[in-house]
Amino acid sequence: MKIGIIGTGNIGGTLARRLSAAGHEVRVANSKGPEGVRAFAKEIGAAPVDARGALEGADVVILSIPFPAVAKLPKDLFDGLPESVPVVDTGNYYPGLRDPQIPEIDAGQIESLWVAEQIGRPIIKAFNNILAYSLAELGRPRGTAGRLAVAVAGDDASAKSLVSGLVDEIGFDPVDAGEIAESWRQQPSTPAYCCDYDADETRRALAAAKPGVAAQKRDMMMVTYSNLGPNPTHADVVASNRATNAVD
């Protein structure tokens, strides 16, 4: 499968590495152009391209960049991409931590719907509720007890099925998180966010999410993490997320 990935940060870079290792034809792009990503591409066996090159002939496109960068993408970038090609968004909104305030989201617009508006086409939301370390190190074969899960939300059943197949292929159980309008249930600081849960636990956590509860916890995220000390382990972060993100 030909997979274009825009963004080579923690999540995008890890996905590029895992999907290339799985035998897919991966093309990677970032804000610095082909030369800026050439060394990384060579390391993982991918092709360095620009954003338009990532979309050319792709069977799946993964968008893994901060929200401010989404708003700066060329408005016609996705115009030539067939409607049948899923666009997966892995991003999250972190106002005051990394991102400037986005009035529409602050007023209640669902993050995924904001992203879809910016790029002018529907998206599949996936890989946003898993830590980069978990994605890189904790994938397991299908059927393994306690296999971690990744939530997948979207409106197109065939696109969700394709993306869910990729989730499974790199070692995680895909959990159908409903339509894109329900993707707020996997946004930062919800019960299902970055807690290293298996599929059953993830389903329960998605169902437990309550509207309007997560934003305040999200905005205190750095304070919460600073309380873990200068060198928290992965287990420390997961335990903190499980305790903090649980619905009161």
Side-chain angles (χ1 to χ4, degrees):
M1 191 179 298
K2 295 179 180 179
I3 301 176
I5 300 179
I6 301 175
T8 54
N10 289 335
I11 298 296
T14 299
L15 284 171
R17 188 181 299 275
R18 295 297 306 276
L19 291 167
S20 181
H24 295 286
E25 183 181 325
V26 175
R27 284 173 284 178
V28 291
N30 65 17
S31 60
K32 299 178 181 179
E35 288 305 316
V37 76
R38 189 173 300 280
F40 173 70
K42 182 178 180 181
E43 177 191 344
I44 67 169
V49 294
D50 60 14
R52 295 187 187 278
L55 272 60
E56 186 176 351
D59 298 305
V60 180
V61 174
I62 297 174
L63 189 61
S64 192
I65 58 178
F67 275 31
V70 170
K72 294 178 182 178
L73 290 171
K75 295 304 180 183
D76 65 345
L77 179 61
F78 292 88
D79 287 357
L81 190 71
E83 292 184 3
S84 60
V85 177
V87 177
V88 183
D89 173 48
T90 77
N92 288 309
Y93 176 48
Y94 301 114
L97 303 178
R98 179 196 63 193
D99 303 335
Q101 302 292 143
I102 299 175
E104 296 89 343
I105 298 177
D106 292 341
Q109 185 176 25
I110 295 167
E111 292 179 10
S112 302
L113 295 178
W114 181 87
V115 172
E117 282 188 1
Q118 304 310 302
I119 69 171
R121 63 180 294 145
I123 64 166
I124 301 295
K125 194 72 174 186
F127 301 110
N128 74 303
N129 76 315
I130 185 168
L131 293 162
Y133 177 89
S134 303
L135 191 61
E137 303 293 340
L138 301 183
R140 298 292 183 267
R142 185 189 308 170
T144 301
R147 192 189 200 207
L148 302 187
V150 169
V152 182
D155 297 334
D156 186 293
S158 62
K160 283 172 72 173
S161 178
L162 190 153
V163 174
S164 293
L166 293 178
V167 171
D168 178 46
E169 190 175 350
I170 63 172
F172 302 89
D173 280 343
V175 168
D176 189 334
E179 298 179 349
I180 204 68
E182 293 295 310
S183 63
W184 62 269
R185 296 179 180 274
Q186 65 197 71
Q187 289 176 185
S189 299
T190 56
Y193 179 75
C194 293
C195 288
D196 278 5
Y197 285 146
D198 66 17
D200 287 342
E201 291 168 326
T202 296
R203 292 186 188 98
R204 287 194 290 269
L206 290 167
K210 294 182 179 179
V213 172
Q216 185 174 1
K217 295 180 181 181
R218 177 203 64 203
D219 293 346
M220 293 295 294
M221 190 180 296
M222 290 311 297
V223 174
T224 301
Y225 286 160
S226 68
N227 291 335
L228 298 178
N231 297 298
T233 66
H234 176 73
D236 291 335
V237 173
V238 169
S240 176
N241 287 345
R242 290 184 177 189
T244 305
N245 297 349
V247 175
D248 295 328

